[in-house]
Amino acid sequence: MNIRKGNPEDMKSVLGLIQELAIFEKEPEAVVITEEDLVRDGFGEKPLFQVFVAEVENEEKQKEIVGIALYYYRYSTWKGKTIHLEDLIVKEKMRGTGLGSALYAEIMKQGKKDGVRRVEWNVLAWNTPAVNFYKNSGAKILDDWQVVQMDEAGVNAFLEKL
């Protein structure tokens, strides 16, 4: 297994893993992003995200991306610079191999290197294996906070009321 920073050529595989996660989370139709979006947004003049990729040699002796950790920087009024781990994805066939732990560790190392005061992410309450993994790593799951989102239709409806 090799973990490295992703590059534009990896975005097709990254998108495939994002789509696999959406299927796992029972929302396959929710992914509207394209490979071109990922290349533009991650590798343009002002990158919006960074990504670690995990690759292994497949049966054909070719390198295959089987996991990613996609993150970006945020700013907390209480903590300063933080990292938001948007997605930690491991192909189903590779789960239980330690690959997820290795990607998770890479994010924590990046946070330490960057001097951030917090690394944060979301986890679905029903994803018991992930919840247990995070708890066992020493992460705190905040029960008193709720994730709030407004999708594109919600934004448009809100603005129409103004």
Side-chain angles (χ1 to χ4, degrees), residues 48-50 69-75 81-88 107 111 116 118-123 147 149:
L48 298 175
F49 69 86
Q50 296 186 42
L70 191 144
Y71 67 100
Y72 54 89
Y73 296 94
R74 292 173 63 175
Y75 194 82
K81 186 177 180 179
T82 67
I83 283 180
H84 181 83
L85 174 58
E86 179 65 20
D87 281 319
L88 175 65
I107 290 293
V116 301
R118 181 170 65 208
V119 178
E120 56 197 341
W121 61 96
N122 299 319
V123 63
V147 176
Q149 296 180 336

Side-chain angles (χ1 to χ4, degrees), residues 55-69:
E55 57 188 7
V56 295
E57 197 173 87
N58 62 21
E59 295 86 29
E60 293 83 36
K61 303 288 185 199
Q62 296 177 336
K63 291 180 179 179
E64 177 185 0
I65 294 174
V66 292
I68 65 165

Side-chain angles (χ1 to χ4, degrees), residues 2-162:
N2 178 42
I3 296 179
R4 61 173 173 77
K5 287 278 193 163
N7 60 53
E9 293 76 30
D10 298 327
M11 293 305 103
K12 181 176 183 177
S13 296
V14 168
L15 180 58
L17 284 163
I18 291 168
Q19 291 166 331
E20 186 174 322
L21 176 66
I23 291 166
F24 174 76
E25 292 184 354
K26 302 170 182 60
E27 290 194 64
E29 70 289 341
V31 177
V32 296
I33 198 164
T34 67
E35 180 181 346
E36 292 76 22
D37 293 330
L38 290 168
V39 170
R40 178 195 65 231
D41 296 341
F43 302 92
E45 191 176 311
K46 293 184 179 182
L48 298 175
F49 69 86
Q50 296 186 42
V51 63
F52 287 108
V53 298
E55 57 188 7
V56 295
E57 197 173 87
N58 62 21
E59 295 86 29
E60 293 83 36
K61 303 288 185 199
Q62 296 177 336
K63 291 180 179 179
E64 177 185 0
I65 294 174
V66 292
I68 65 165
L70 191 144
Y71 67 100
Y72 54 89
Y73 296 94
R74 292 173 63 175
Y75 194 82
S76 164
T77 56
W78 290 11
K79 301 293 181 188
K81 186 177 180 179
T82 67
I83 283 180
H84 181 83
L85 174 58
E86 179 65 20
D87 281 319
L88 175 65
I89 309 169
V90 175
K91 275 193 180 230
E92 188 173 7
K93 70 180 183 178
M94 296 301 293
R95 293 183 190 144
T97 64
L99 193 138
S101 295
L103 283 165
Y104 183 74
E106 205 63 37
I107 290 293
M108 298 306 156
K109 288 177 195 172
Q110 186 68 46
K112 179 81 172 166
K113 176 181 164 191
D114 292 341
V116 301
R117 293 190 178 109
R118 181 170 65 208
V119 178
E120 56 197 341
W121 61 96
N122 299 319
V123 63
L124 289 167
W126 59 260
N127 189 350
T128 308
V131 168
N132 290 337
F133 171 79
Y134 295 137
K135 282 182 180 177
N136 289 336
S137 78
K140 296 181 217 165
I141 297 180
L142 307 175
D143 293 328
D144 51 344
W145 284 83
Q146 295 185 16
V147 176
V148 180
Q149 296 180 336
M150 190 176 292
D151 63 14
E152 185 176 11
V155 169
N156 291 336
F158 173 80
L159 292 174
E160 286 174 12
K161 292 177 188 176
L162 297 179

